[in-house]
Amino acid sequence: AVKDNVSSLLTAKGYTMSISLPKGNVYRVVFWAQNPECQAYDVADDMNVTIDYTGINNDESRDAFFAYTEQFKVDHNTSVSVVLRRPFAQVNVGAYPYDMEHAHEAGVDIAKSSAIIKCVPNSINLLDGTTEGEVDVTYTLSARPTENLLVDVDENGVAEVYEYLSMSYLLATTEGS
């Protein structure tokens, strides 16, 4: 297991990594990318990640990505491309801007939000993407996101604009787990 901070090496074209592996052996490679400031993930040597959901709502630092390769044998210089994907569901809650205006006129201003979600997986096997566990998540109050929530509602790519109320990252359940 090798852990590298590659944030300074990222370019518009992505990141290229070279690994020296002895020829004649079969390998699988796993990738996990997270914000180095986020303390919510424990990556074990067996490539299982345990998620600690303790913390605030609307925490963008919890976003993370992973990928794994199929087995490959090294007989010569080998190139393997991977695309990292998000193992999390990003649960967004928004309101139409005019509804927020009506709430404000009625004396209700929403500056913070929290979230309670039941029965969420809390571990992922990076070797195959399966998830396990079942915990109840309570994200505590935090300032709601300030940018607009854009939701693509039709096949033409036209987005509806909402004001964010809440944004939470939760490990998505994999089929069969």
Side-chain angles (χ1 to χ4, degrees), residues 120-160:
V120 179
N122 67 333
S123 69
I124 182 170
N125 180 331
L126 297 180
L127 293 171
D128 62 11
T130 57
T131 58
E132 293 183 351
E134 189 174 277
V135 297
D136 293 343
V137 176
T138 301
Y139 284 134
T140 59
L141 277 173
S142 177
R144 65 186 181 95
T146 56
E147 69 270 10
N148 286 328
L149 172 60
L150 302 175
V151 179
D152 186 4
V153 295
D154 66 19
E155 65 277 356
N156 297 322
V158 176
E160 288 276 344

Side-chain angles (χ1 to χ4, degrees), residues 53-58 112-116 137-143:
Y53 289 108
T54 306
I56 62 172
N57 198 34
N58 308 312
K112 296 180 179 182
S113 65
S114 62
I116 299 172
V137 176
T138 301
Y139 284 134
T140 59
L141 277 173
S142 177

Side-chain angles (χ1 to χ4, degrees), residues 77-143:
N77 285 344
T78 303
S79 178
V80 178
S81 293
V82 297
V83 175
L84 300 178
R85 69 176 185 89
R86 179 185 283 145
F88 299 100
Q90 181 178 333
V91 179
N92 299 313
V93 178
Y96 284 114
Y98 59 80
D99 287 334
M100 296 297 285
E101 290 172 20
H102 291 300
H104 176 73
E105 290 168 2
V108 177
D109 288 313
I110 302 169
K112 296 180 179 182
S113 65
S114 62
I116 299 172
I117 305 97
K118 304 239 181 232
C119 304
V120 179
N122 67 333
S123 69
I124 182 170
N125 180 331
L126 297 180
L127 293 171
D128 62 11
T130 57
T131 58
E132 293 183 351
E134 189 174 277
V135 297
D136 293 343
V137 176
T138 301
Y139 284 134
T140 59
L141 277 173
S142 177

Side-chain angles (χ1 to χ4, degrees), residues 15 29-31 66-70 79-85:
Y15 173 72
V29 180
V30 172
F31 299 88
F66 86 109
Y68 58 88
T69 68
E70 296 301 324
S79 178
V80 178
S81 293
V82 297
V83 175
L84 300 178
R85 69 176 185 89

Side-chain angles (χ1 to χ4, degrees), residues 32-33 38 46 73 76 95-96 118-119 167 173:
W32 173 257
C38 182
D46 66 357
K73 185 173 183 178
H76 54 285
Y96 284 114
K118 304 239 181 232
C119 304
M167 184 275 303
T173 303

Side-chain angles (χ1 to χ4, degrees), residues 3-46:
K3 296 179 182 178
D4 288 322
N5 182 346
V6 299
S7 60
S8 63
L9 303 175
L10 292 176
T11 68
K13 294 181 180 180
Y15 173 72
T16 300
M17 173 180 230
S18 297
I19 304 171
S20 296
L21 301 170
K23 291 180 182 177
N25 294 316
V26 175
Y27 299 94
R28 291 190 70 201
V29 180
V30 172
F31 299 88
W32 173 257
Q34 74 176 65
N35 182 325
E37 303 299 317
C38 182
Q39 301 297 311
Y41 309 117
D42 179 30
V43 183
D45 288 342
D46 66 357

